[in-house]
Amino acid sequence: TEYTDANGFAELQLEPGTYQVAVSRGTEWSLYTEQVTITAGSTTNVAAQVAHVLDTTGTISADYHVHMIDSPDSRVSRKNRVESYAGEGVDNIIATDHAYVTDLDADIATLGYGSFVNSTPGEEVTTFDYGHFNAYPQGQDLSRIQTRGSTDHAGAAPPGQDFPGYGNFNLSPAQIEAAILAKPQNAG
């Protein structure tokens, strides 16, 4: 069982043995290390402290290509993704799941991590011919339950007819950009 909170408290259950504990908060903070021996039936406390060592006033750090559980190539939960980025000092998570518009604001608020990390909803439009296109910020369309309003790279081909034999496969890159910008949540 693991529990981590916004105050920096973490609880882990470990097998008896000797472990090297490392505590960090990203590149702006020092690294704390300590060797601990865990014995069966007892609790071992580590009071780690890290110091702010790099002044980044006026800048932000961001990851512009982040996948989570709603992307078919990731098994990482939104909760775990938010915890890891908040813990490593990343200021902004740009959510770019494949074929899904992910908004992490509710997850960040539920965890109480709003003072540590923010997010920008986005998507990764995944084509068969032209590669992948990240688009952000994106608004969610909650009426589209399967994709939350992601952009259809095939140009709204009828279901089952999004392949070349029916004259549909991929929009061109310019058409993909136009489709992204034309979505109601992005227009204006």
Side-chain angles (χ1 to χ4, degrees), residues 25-172:
R25 172 108 170 62
T27 58
E28 294 179 42
W29 297 79
S30 64
L31 174 66
Y32 176 90
T33 60
E34 179 181 338
Q35 188 170 8
V36 297
T37 300
I38 306 298
T39 56
S42 66
T43 299
T44 301
N45 292 315
V46 174
Q49 291 188 352
V50 294
H52 195 233
V53 295
L54 179 63
D55 182 11
T56 58
T57 302
T59 65
I60 64 164
S61 63
D63 188 336
Y64 292 86
H65 189 165
V66 181
H67 295 286
M68 288 153 282
I69 194 68
D70 295 307
S71 192
D73 61 348
S74 177
R75 296 184 342 201
V76 179
S77 71
R78 289 183 294 275
K79 176 184 180 290
N80 284 39
R81 190 61 84 199
V82 168
E83 288 175 336
S84 66
Y85 276 71
E88 287 302 319
V90 176
D91 298 313
N92 193 22
I93 304 168
I94 312 292
T96 54
D97 285 325
H98 291 277
Y100 193 91
V101 177
T102 301
D103 186 341
L104 294 170
D105 287 349
D107 299 278
I108 292 169
T110 297
L111 291 166
Y113 284 7
S115 62
F116 297 104
V117 68
N118 295 292
S119 72
T120 300
E123 65 172 314
E124 184 166 337
V125 181
T126 308
T127 70
F128 298 112
D129 285 347
Y130 303 115
H132 303 182
F133 299 84
N134 286 340
Y136 48 85
Q138 293 288 289
Q140 284 190 322
D141 179 350
L142 300 180
S143 70
R144 294 179 57 202
I145 192 82
Q146 296 297 321
T147 68
R148 293 292 194 246
S150 70
T151 305
D152 184 353
H153 73 272
Q161 295 183 19
D162 55 345
F163 47 92
Y166 287 104
N168 302 304
F169 198 53
N170 279 328
L171 298 174
S172 70

